Amino acid sequence: MNGKWSQLWLKYDSKKECGNAAFLQAVTICGFDENHAVVKNAIEELKMGAQGMLGVAPSISAGGCESDKNGLAIVKVAKQEENILEEGYSLEAKDGTLTLKACDEKGLLYGIFHVLRVVSMEKSLAEVNILCNPSNPLRMYNHWDNMDGSIERGYSGLSFFYENNEIIINERTKDYARLIASVGINGVVINNVNVKQAATYLIDKRYFQEVCRLATLFAGYGIKLFLSLNYAATIELGGLDSADPLEPKVIAWWQGKMKEVFETIPNLGGFLVKADSEGRPGPFTYGRTQADGANMLADIVKPYGGIIIWRCFVYNCTQDWRDYKTDRARAGYDNFIKMDGDYHENVILQIKNGPMDFQIREPISPLLGGLKKTNQMLEVQVAQEYTGHQIDVCYLIPMFKEILNFKTYCKETQDTVADVISGRTMGNKNAGIAAVINTGNDLNWTGNELAAANLYGFARLAYNTDLSAEEILDEWIPQSISTSSQVIEKIKRILLPSRVVYENYTSPLGIGWMVTPHEHYGCSVDGYEYSRWGTYHRADHLGIGVDRSENGTGYALQYHEPNASMYNHMETCPEELLLFFHHVPYTYVLKSNKTVIQHIYDSHFEGVEQVEEMIATWESLKGSIEDSVFESVKARFGRQLYNAKEWRDQVNSYFYRKSGIADEKNRPIY
Ligand code: GCV
């Protein structure tokens, strides 16, 4: 790693003054302890930002809560006073004073970052009047970083947390904490859910000191550190012959281990567990339920205030699905729904947004809101495993908005996914949202500079699910690339439709996959890695799609009504998911009046044309943005175009040969 890494949206380079300097010259703090680590870091940040952007060196003083001076007045209030909740804040500009109110240090920190954001966007602080409370209690990034420094599904270099099985803590770690705190992230899991090699388990004594240093550093930015856990650590690390969650010796081992861990690392938030999935061990081996496993650990960490986040990505990847009834999509719901209500209060089930695996288009997992008495967290993937490896541009926030807005019908009101995971539906506090994140040690953090919009956007959305995909870009672009309105418009023109563009040139109508096995980049129509029992898409010479209706695998019926009926019937199934739920003839006519086969041809040609348009728009930015950013994104666009053409040609020729139906427009199909 040579050179200095980017500061992304915290560049603090010179900005237009916009009347903002006066607000930052004098800062008074009332009610907060100035020596609290979070307060100190917030003030340090304010000074850095004010100096860098406006050349102002703020004077800081403890003041009366009724400030009569012009400037920034930071005031501690009681919780719920003026509707300010935990980790929330209000900002009000009046008569030359900008008042920031919060009931805790994290609220103060987020408020300061809000102020800096306004300055960075070259907007006027005099016009700020806002109350911000977080939508979700837990807002987490999940890293899939391995101890050897590699990253599972990482597309931006190596890990900045580990090298050669050792933990790295340096200036960049601090910058990372600042960056993620600035957008409201309050929890981070620093190691891959696939926890392998007992000698490198972070719950081993050999790592305690460094994990503790990391936890303290993050705590200074309001972020709780979490670790992924190997469920069979009793065997791998403890030398026992069992990991049965109900066996006393297993419980005793975990009790000893957790005591050791929490006593040395007091700031630890808890653990994330992937069990009984893709070769990971779990309670099923002992004939126990997922609830048995999760509750055992949860009870042990409870006295330390710890929580157990238990993933629902539990499925048998060796299933024989020749009978056309077995369906991986069913697995999450089938494995977890029966124990709804049995999970203890400090267990949260972390559920991937779709029932399969982060495809470009999937229905929402029926477990979200299917569970009515269990803490739930939504897991999305910002790392672009199936969405272009951060080579292809794919702005994911519109997809995340769709997921959050989905009505589950689990209750009469407050029944969207956003409601469920915020705790509004059930009145619970152990809830939230997590993203498998897209960072690495590349100097720009995310490989493709434009992929940082997803890093930023996920977190902002996690804090405020009401923000639109466009509003998020209106914040991210001026802070990260340019405040020029022309540049902002052009980059928005590229990013906003990019998810649909990616969908157009890859897999149509919700069918998913068709991607190179294991690597998950590039087209391979029959390439599903677990498809030795038949192709994933079930295409033959007559039609395509997986029948998940009541006549097929029955998956559609896992939803609450009216969703179940809507998906169950071809006529009411949303067309963008038609092939996920139904097997249809190629000649099936869509609402657009096109047949399915014609839709496949048209969308693939259109997808490539859209990439060409995106590239032309990007080219027009030459000279208006930093050269290095322009060139590096341009190079990736070249690869994206190649990829899009490959997909177009492979998909079109595959289905042309299968169906024998020609393209109505007679375009070349190779
Ligand atoms: C961390 C998919 C990915 C795996 C990942 C797994 C998971 O299968 O391809 O790399 O493993 O999801 O979410 O656990």
Side-chain angles (χ1 to χ4, degrees):
M1 199 173 62
N2 295 316
K4 179 82 180 172
W5 50 91
S6 163
Q7 295 293 306
L8 296 176
W9 50 89
L10 296 185
K11 289 193 172 61
Y12 299 151
D13 48 354
S14 175
K15 295 285 177 177
K16 273 195 222 133
E17 202 268 339
C18 303
N20 291 333
F23 287 107
L24 301 183
Q25 257 142 10
V27 180
T28 52
I29 307 179
C30 163
F32 283 104
D33 172 5
E34 285 168 68
N35 291 316
H36 189 289
V38 175
V39 178
K40 270 169 115 170
N41 282 334
I43 296 301
E44 186 191 328
E45 200 68 36
L46 184 69
K47 286 182 175 167
M48 208 168 19
Q51 185 65 53
M53 293 191 282
L54 302 176
V56 168
S59 69
I60 313 286
S61 57
C65 286
E66 293 307 320
S67 176
D68 52 359
K69 279 199 258 169
N70 285 354
L72 176 64
I74 300 174
V75 180
K76 185 166 188 171
V77 293
K79 197 163 120 188
Q80 298 202 346
E81 195 177 314
E82 297 180 34
N83 294 325
I84 299 171
L85 306 179
E86 271 174 46
E87 305 186 11
Y89 58 90
S90 71
L91 280 164
E92 190 185 12
K94 209 169 154 196
D95 304 331
T97 302
L98 177 62
T99 307
L100 160 56
K101 293 183 180 166
C103 65
D104 56 19
E105 290 75 18
K106 287 194 209 178
L108 179 158
L109 178 72
Y110 300 149
I112 296 277
F113 276 118
H114 188 128
V115 170
L116 293 171
R117 190 181 307 135
V118 172
V119 176
S120 180
M121 290 166 66
E122 298 183 341
K123 303 265 183 226
S124 162
L125 287 170
E127 281 155 34
V128 173
N129 186 353
I130 194 165
L131 169 68
C132 298
N133 284 314
S135 305
N136 293 293
L138 273 167
R139 307 174 297 277
M140 299 182 75
Y141 283 163
N142 290 182
H143 288 267
W144 284 357
D145 293 29
N146 299 313
M147 299 299 296
D148 63 2
S150 61
I151 303 178
E152 182 151 354
R153 311 305 176 187
Y155 312 108
S156 354
L158 295 171
S159 172
F160 49 80
F161 283 120
Y162 316 105
E163 195 173 33
N164 295 327
N165 299 333
E166 298 300 337
I167 296 176
I168 306 168
I169 305 177
N170 57 24
E171 214 193 317
R172 187 164 183 170
T173 326
K174 182 175 168 190
D175 279 349
Y176 175 71
R178 294 174 45 233
L179 279 162
I180 72 176
S182 74
V183 280
I185 291 294
N186 65 0
V188 62
V189 183
I190 56 167
N191 61 324
N192 189 358
V193 285
N194 290 328
V195 186
K196 297 178 183 163
Q197 286 185 307
T200 64
Y201 288 0
L202 289 171
I203 54 167
D204 189 43
K205 269 202 183 80
R206 121 173 168 74
Y207 291 110
F208 281 0
Q209 221 188 337
E210 294 306 275
V211 176
C212 184
R213 274 183 65 204
L214 262 184
T216 308
L217 189 156
F218 281 124
Y221 287 91
I223 302 157
K224 280 258 186 209
L225 186 79
F226 289 73
L227 303 176
S228 293
L229 202 63
N230 183 313
Y231 179 76
T234 45
I235 303 175
E236 310 283 332
L237 197 62
L240 304 187
D241 59 1
S242 171
D244 182 343
L246 303 190
E247 251 198 85
K249 67 182 177 198
V250 170
I251 298 171
W253 187 86
W254 278 118
Q255 281 169 334
K257 177 49 76 183
M258 291 305 182
K259 183 168 190 298
E260 208 177 63
V261 170
F262 278 97
E263 282 179 359
T264 344
I265 314 164
N267 285 317
L268 198 67
F271 297 93
L272 174 65
V273 188
K274 170 177 179 177
D276 287 309
S277 170
E278 300 181 336
R280 296 297 83 217
F284 282 167
T285 313
Y286 304 92
R288 310 297 185 197
T289 65
Q290 298 296 302
D292 291 332
N295 290 340
M296 180 270 291
L297 289 171
D299 291 350
I300 295 171
V301 300
K302 192 169 181 171
Y304 310 102
I307 58 174
I308 296 295
I309 305 176
W310 192 269
R311 293 178 85 228
C312 294
F313 188 58
V314 175
Y315 75 105
N316 173 7
C317 55
T318 62
Q319 276 176 336
D320 177 350
W321 58 342
R322 274 171 298 187
D323 62 3
Y324 279 56
K325 286 282 172 205
T326 311
D327 182 4
R328 172 175 167 180
R330 293 189 56 110
Y333 188 91
D334 286 344
N335 283 319
F336 285 89
I337 200 73
K338 286 189 287 287
M339 284 101 50
D340 189 17
D342 293 348
Y343 298 90
H344 293 177
E345 185 272 328
N346 60 330
V347 173
I348 308 179
L349 295 188
Q350 184 163 301
I351 305 165
K352 285 192 184 186
N353 60 273
M356 296 297 283
D357 196 11
F358 299 137
Q359 301 302 293
I360 189 68
R361 174 91 56 185
E362 278 188 61
I364 310 306
S365 166
L367 262 183
L368 288 160
L371 294 161
K372 291 182 171 180
K373 293 176 274 181
T374 301
N375 296 326
Q376 293 160 66
M377 250 175 105
L378 170 67
E379 177 180 313
V380 295
Q381 195 181 40
V382 165
Q384 289 176 239
E385 175 179 357
Y386 291 97
T387 53
H389 283 202
Q390 287 141 243
I391 298 166
D392 299 23
V393 171
C394 190
Y395 179 53
L396 293 163
I397 308 306
M399 184 203 293
F400 300 163
K401 292 288 297 177
E402 277 172 25
I403 297 163
L404 291 165
N405 290 339
F406 180 74
K407 254 179 103 57
T408 68
Y409 295 101
C410 63
K411 240 178 94 176
E412 302 244 309
T413 55
Q414 299 198 304
D415 64 341
T416 65
V417 169
D419 291 325
V420 171
I421 62 162
S422 65
R424 287 191 291 273
T425 306
M426 294 184 290
N428 53 328
K429 71 174 184 7
N430 281 332
I433 180 165
V436 178
I437 211 61
N438 61 353
T439 52
N441 72 355
D442 279 359
L443 295 181
N444 67 7
W445 301 84
T446 53
N448 191 329
E449 268 83 359
L450 296 183
N454 289 328
L455 178 71
Y456 179 91
F458 163 79
R460 290 288 293 130
L461 193 61
Y463 190 89
N464 179 359
T465 46
D466 289 337
L467 286 173
S468 72
E470 185 168 359
E471 282 168 329
I472 288 172
L473 289 182
D474 281 327
E475 291 183 0
W476 176 75
I477 302 168
Q479 293 178 86
S480 308
I481 300 186
S482 167
T483 48
S484 141
S485 56
Q486 274 192 352
V487 172
I488 295 172
E489 279 318 305
K490 286 182 180 175
I491 296 181
K492 279 178 18 183
R493 213 188 301 155
I494 291 170
L495 288 177
L496 283 171
S498 60
R499 181 265 185 129
V500 172
V501 172
Y502 188 83
E503 181 182 30
N504 280 346
Y505 64 78
T506 57
S507 57
L509 302 170
I511 192 67
W513 309 97
M514 308 208 299
V515 70
T516 311
H518 307 293
E519 197 195 340
H520 300 162
Y521 184 79
C523 181
S524 170
V525 178
D526 288 340
Y528 180 56
E529 48 262 69
Y530 305 122
S531 67
R532 65 185 178 286
W533 307 115
T535 56
Y536 170 77
H537 48 66
R538 307 267 206 246
D540 56 20
H541 67 293
L542 295 173
I544 175 175
V546 186
D547 185 356
R548 293 189 162 104
S549 73
E550 61 194 332
N551 304 318
T553 72
Y555 164 81
L557 305 183
Q558 291 184 332
Y559 291 87
H560 295 301
E561 287 293 2
N563 288 339
S565 296
M566 172 182 74
Y567 290 133
N568 194 38
H569 300 291
M570 238 179 250
E571 306 70 38
T572 51
C573 179
E575 282 188 341
E576 68 272 16
L577 288 169
L578 184 67
L579 303 183
F580 189 92
F581 283 98
H582 297 280
H583 185 86
V584 301
Y586 293 113
T587 50
Y588 181 89
V589 180
L590 300 169
K591 294 196 184 81
S592 58
N593 248 341
K594 286 181 190 179
T595 58
V596 164
I597 189 73
Q598 194 56 41
H599 174 91
I600 293 176
Y601 297 146
D602 285 355
S603 58
H604 284 79
F605 281 110
E606 196 189 344
V608 172
E609 285 158 20
Q610 288 169 315
V611 175
E612 284 165 344
E613 279 163 30
M614 286 159 99
I615 294 176
T617 307
W618 186 258
E619 295 276 4
S620 74
L621 288 171
K622 190 169 172 59
S624 335
I625 62 173
E626 217 180 282
D627 267 355
S628 60
V629 174
F630 175 79
E631 292 300 338
S632 92
V633 173
K634 182 177 161 183
R636 280 172 194 253
F637 265 132
R639 294 164 73 189
Q640 177 169 6
L641 183 59
Y642 180 85
N643 187 39
K645 287 181 176 169
E646 281 284 303
W647 271 93
R648 175 195 64 192
D649 294 343
Q650 286 202 41
V651 170
N652 284 350
S653 63
Y654 181 99
F655 289 104
Y656 171 57
R657 287 182 195 144
K658 264 247 142 83
S659 67
I661 302 173
D663 170 31
E664 281 170 4
K665 298 178 189 161
N666 261 330
R667 288 161 293 195
I669 291 183
Y670 299 103

